[in-house]
Amino acid sequence: MTDCQGDVEGASTPMELYEKLSEQGVKVRSLKSAKADKTKVDTAVQLLLKLKMDYKQMTGHDYKAGCPPSENDAAPNNGPAADVAGEDDTVDPWTVSTTNAKGVDYDKLIVRFGSSKIDQELVDRIEKVCGQKPHRFLRRGVFFSHRDMHQVLDAYEKHKSFYLYTGRGPSSEAMHVGHLIPFIFTKWLQDVFDIPLVIQLTDDEKYLWKDLTVEECHRFAIENAKDIIACGFDINKTFIFSDLDYMGSSPEFYRNVVKIQKHVTFNQVKGIFGFTDSDCIGKISFPAIQAAPSFSNSFPHVFGSRKDIQCLIPCAIDQDPYFRMTRDVAPRIGYPKPALLHSTFFPALQGAQTKMSASDANSSIFLTDTPKQIKNKINKHAFSGGKDTVEEHRKYGGNADVDVSFMYLTFFLEDDEQLEKIRQDYTSGALLTGELKKILIETLQPMIAQHQERRKQVTDDLVKQFMTPRPLNFNL
Ligand code: TRP
């Protein structure tokens, strides 16, 4: 780190720091695209992060490639630089990885992304405004970060409503339990606030990024829609759409896409998403398509020509880059900025260092798994924080913080007291790993079976109804 310090101290004005940052950004990207040695890339990334933190501290706002600082950006304070946020964590729409067994350091991610923590005060406020016990994902910090949620609640209290937007990239037929997290939570939000919801299936995105045909991606979108519908969304308040279908049929949606495209430069998306000169132009313009549903007039059959309806986006934190871009563009094209609620990642069975992968059958519990497969996967693959022998475990206790079975229970076991007792018993050694796994197996088996039952009830006709542009039923 010493040469980082040297570099940073060398920059005394926002402009100098901005130039250093631009150079460093180019360096990181060229190292990455040249597939340079990992430690070289890591060192360069660390310096980049450090420079970004310093830039934010010096100017009061985030560094943006292609947007040099203005004269008002003189250093507001020269206090000690904040700690570099989660240096060894990589979080972007394509990669999530960390070297820490407890998983990504989410508090540091909040600093790095410049979002706000969902603290107890906000959870209490949500409870007060919606009049319901907060969802376990809020009680337990699964949704841990937000942008502008207080503003959404302020408006809601004054009887100004909002709508929900979430989505999914249909990269295969197989969905796993982790994919359900945003949908389970969005369904809860829809119920307690009684508001409309749009769900984007980015089959176009998956075509651009993966080695799949357009037809395959579209088919996966329809298959995934069935799992999404099985989460229980209200057909009178929910519109699900495939980009491949809806983009071509909605002039209003496409107009917004074009407006967004006009207001984001190549330099900016390179900075935000790390695109390089050899990425296809479809990828480069795709972020505008993920941004467009954040604006209410993209859905005239739902909102008419109103463009002022606030949007709230529940999503996993790796989607934030898309919406940082969206929020930056919104005021420049006359729209409100979407608010956000960010979730942590659902850990792979093998441990919290990475999120689950739909392409590795043993890394996750799939929505199609049989009770027996669930049992075997958990017993065989769920990373344990227990000790090697029963004697040692009884004596020293287990580590719930790195234990994947325990983590999964924090996502799915509803009862707070039961969960706390499991934690205490596991930590003291009274509860053995096998017993903990058994509790998880018995929690997941009925949950997955019920999902499969509900999915069976979802007919092609029902999917069609959800995916037909039509008015929704709500009061704004
Ligand atoms: N890009 C997301 C994915 O690959 C899909 C998506 C589109 C999305 N719009 C969204 C996710 C809004 C959350 C919120 O999964």
Side-chain angles (χ1 to χ4, degrees), residues 99-145:
T99 49
N100 184 340
K102 288 184 193 170
V104 172
D105 186 328
Y106 290 106
D107 282 334
K108 286 188 176 169
L109 215 53
I110 287 174
V111 177
R112 201 165 107 197
F113 282 9
S115 59
S116 310
K117 193 178 169 78
I118 298 184
D119 51 14
Q120 193 55 44
E121 189 201 334
L122 179 55
V123 175
D124 292 344
R125 193 161 174 225
I126 293 173
E127 173 166 21
K128 195 175 133 249
V129 174
C130 76
Q132 303 274 336
K133 179 173 176 180
H135 193 273
R136 60 178 187 276
F137 291 168
L138 284 172
R139 305 200 299 270
R140 300 186 191 150
V142 171
F143 276 78
F144 72 103
S145 153

Side-chain angles (χ1 to χ4, degrees), residues 165-169 200 202 205-206 290 313-315 319 323:
Y165 158 39
T166 191
R168 149 136 188 97
Q200 179 179 46
T202 53
E205 175 190 16
K206 293 302 147 182
Q290 181 153 335
I313 308 172
C315 63
Q319 298 298 305
F323 301 118

Side-chain angles (χ1 to χ4, degrees), residues 32-62:
K32 278 188 178 168
S33 62
K35 302 228 170 0
D37 177 52
K38 189 177 172 312
T39 49
K40 257 198 185 149
V41 177
D42 286 352
T43 318
V45 170
Q46 280 183 20
L47 175 54
L48 184 68
L49 287 174
K50 170 90 180 112
L51 289 167
K52 283 189 179 172
M53 298 283 299
D54 288 359
Y55 185 80
K56 182 154 190 184
Q57 222 211 347
M58 194 186 270
T59 64
H61 55 74
D62 286 327

Side-chain angles (χ1 to χ4, degrees), residues 280-308:
C280 73
I281 60 173
K283 286 187 186 178
I284 291 154
S285 58
F286 173 76
I289 301 173
Q290 181 153 335
S294 315
F295 306 129
S296 58
N297 60 353
S298 293
F299 306 98
H301 46 92
V302 182
F303 303 112
S305 59
R306 284 189 62 177
K307 56 175 193 176
D308 60 333

Side-chain angles (χ1 to χ4, degrees), residues 266-426:
F266 185 29
N267 239 321
Q268 283 170 321
V269 285
K270 276 201 232 177
I272 301 171
F273 300 97
F275 296 141
T276 67
D277 288 359
S278 48
D279 277 306
C280 73
I281 60 173
K283 286 187 186 178
I284 291 154
S285 58
F286 173 76
I289 301 173
Q290 181 153 335
S294 315
F295 306 129
S296 58
N297 60 353
S298 293
F299 306 98
H301 46 92
V302 182
F303 303 112
S305 59
R306 284 189 62 177
K307 56 175 193 176
D308 60 333
I309 302 167
Q310 167 84 57
C311 174
L312 172 66
I313 308 172
C315 63
I317 186 80
D318 60 339
Q319 298 298 305
D320 189 65
Y322 285 110
F323 301 118
R324 285 203 295 267
M325 183 200 86
T326 310
R327 286 167 54 85
D328 182 62
V329 174
R332 292 190 279 135
I333 55 177
Y335 297 146
K337 292 182 181 187
L340 288 144
L341 292 170
H342 299 123
S343 74
T344 61
F345 303 112
F346 193 76
L349 279 171
Q350 284 74 9
Q353 281 91 340
T354 176
K355 69 174 179 177
M356 300 203 300
S357 151
S359 47
D360 177 358
N362 286 328
S363 77
S364 23
I365 306 292
F366 284 86
L367 300 177
T368 47
D369 282 348
T370 63
K372 205 166 149 206
Q373 283 172 317
I374 295 173
K375 182 171 163 202
N376 287 342
K377 277 190 195 177
I378 293 171
N379 282 334
K380 264 206 202 118
H381 301 288
F383 181 80
S384 168
K387 295 290 180 294
D388 289 342
T389 64
V390 173
E391 292 68 43
E392 275 184 46
H393 189 88
R394 292 271 187 236
K395 195 162 161 203
Y396 303 109
N399 181 355
D401 288 340
V402 300
D403 191 286
V404 171
S405 301
F406 184 78
M407 289 181 203
Y408 279 23
L409 283 173
T410 64
F411 282 85
F412 296 117
L413 192 72
E414 177 58 29
D415 189 325
D416 291 340
E417 277 172 33
Q418 195 190 349
L419 185 70
E420 184 48 32
K421 176 141 180 20
I422 293 170
R423 173 197 278 285
Q424 285 172 8
D425 289 351
Y426 193 61

